Amino acid sequence: MIRINKRGYDAFGVEPDDDVYETGQRSTTALELRDFGEEANSRLPKWGTERGSDKGVEVAATYVMSNTNPSVLGDNTHTGVFIDGDDPVLWDPAGNYTHREMGSGRALYGSEFSPEDYLRFQLTDGPDVTVRKFNTTPEQEAEIKKRIDDIGGGGFLTCTKNVTEAISGIGPFGEVEETWWPAKLDNQLRSLDKHVGEANDVQGLRHLLAKKNRLGASK
């Protein structure tokens, strides 16, 4: 067996003249060497796991809802946005979604809101509703929330304009241009190809919400 002593000391704890490993009989088998190597590897730090270099850094997410069902304005019914994570918020500017805790700014904070319920409400207009998910950092989400507070509830037909003002230039929304039309905004978001998932029904949205979000991970 190979016996490895503490580096810089011999078997009796005496510091030798030179830095060597003391060895005994060299009858070690290949199997024993393999076992020794596996044990040594198991003691090495898990750099890839600890740093998340392969899978990205876990983050929350921002979701943009585009209701493009037919209306008097064409395929442009409504746009909303919500953020999950430790400090969630749902914003329905110039919208009709109601909740007992929703203020005049059309924003709902904390655990009171249900993304699934919000999607169900939009689907009452028809099936043409798309929720796109974007990985965002806490800093990016804080900036979006600040803009939401600054903009407030908005006026008539300003839902999409307000949403673009809230997200444009931030993280994955860096190239989003201002528009008043839900269909145009959704086309922008799809073309930019920065979203990490999408849903068109409640079951699909539940899947997106349950999936862990990692910044820097592949789609």
Side-chain angles (χ1 to χ4, degrees):
M1 291 289 293
I2 292 178
R3 179 161 53 90
I4 299 178
N5 295 319
K6 185 176 180 182
R7 185 174 177 83
Y9 293 85
D10 64 13
F12 300 98
V14 179
E15 185 175 5
D17 293 335
D18 53 359
D19 189 14
V20 297
Y21 290 105
E22 181 185 354
T23 60
Q25 295 180 351
R26 298 183 178 276
S27 60
T28 307
T29 66
L31 181 60
E32 288 171 333
L33 284 173
R34 186 202 67 182
D35 293 340
F36 173 78
E38 290 178 349
E39 180 180 358
N41 287 335
S42 68
R43 296 175 182 274
L44 294 174
K46 308 297 184 182
W47 297 113
T49 301
E50 292 178 359
R51 298 183 181 181
S53 58
D54 294 329
K55 296 183 179 180
V57 179
E58 189 167 329
V59 294
T62 299
Y63 301 74
V64 178
M65 186 284 304
S66 301
N67 184 337
T68 56
N69 283 287
S71 69
V72 294
L73 299 174
D75 296 339
N76 296 285
T77 298
H78 194 55
T79 301
V81 62
F82 58 89
I83 299 172
D84 70 352
D86 295 332
D87 187 22
V89 59
L90 181 149
W91 190 41
D92 190 54
N96 296 318
Y97 180 70
T98 57
H99 190 284
R100 64 181 182 277
E101 300 295 335
M102 183 170 279
S104 59
R106 304 302 301 159
L108 181 62
Y109 294 88
S111 59
E112 291 292 330
F113 85 86
S114 165
E116 295 97 326
D117 183 64
Y118 183 59
L119 178 56
R120 287 191 193 96
F121 176 79
Q122 300 300 329
L123 287 170
T124 60
D125 293 321
D128 298 330
V129 180
T130 302
V131 178
R132 298 190 188 278
K133 175 181 179 178
F134 300 82
N135 284 345
T136 44
T137 66
E139 293 76 18
Q140 292 165 355
E141 291 155 16
E143 177 60 27
I144 293 173
K145 292 173 185 176
K146 180 180 182 301
R147 293 185 185 183
I148 287 174
D149 289 339
D150 292 342
I151 296 169
F156 183 61
L157 299 179
T158 61
C159 59
T160 305
K161 175 180 178 292
N162 290 343
V163 169
T164 57
E165 287 181 359
I167 65 176
S168 180
I170 298 177
F173 308 110
E175 299 178 47
V176 169
E177 298 178 354
E178 182 179 305
T179 178
W180 289 64
W181 309 109
K184 287 187 177 181
L185 174 57
D186 190 54
N187 286 336
Q188 280 192 61
L189 297 176
R190 183 179 64 252
S191 298
L192 291 174
D193 198 28
K194 297 293 181 64
H195 58 290
V196 296
E198 64 181 78
N200 304 98
D201 54 35
V202 174
Q203 183 176 355
L205 178 58
R206 285 174 180 163
H207 177 73
L208 283 185
L209 292 167
K211 188 176 180 180
K212 291 184 177 180
N213 318 310
R214 292 186 179 275
L215 188 66
S218 58
K219 291 186 178 181

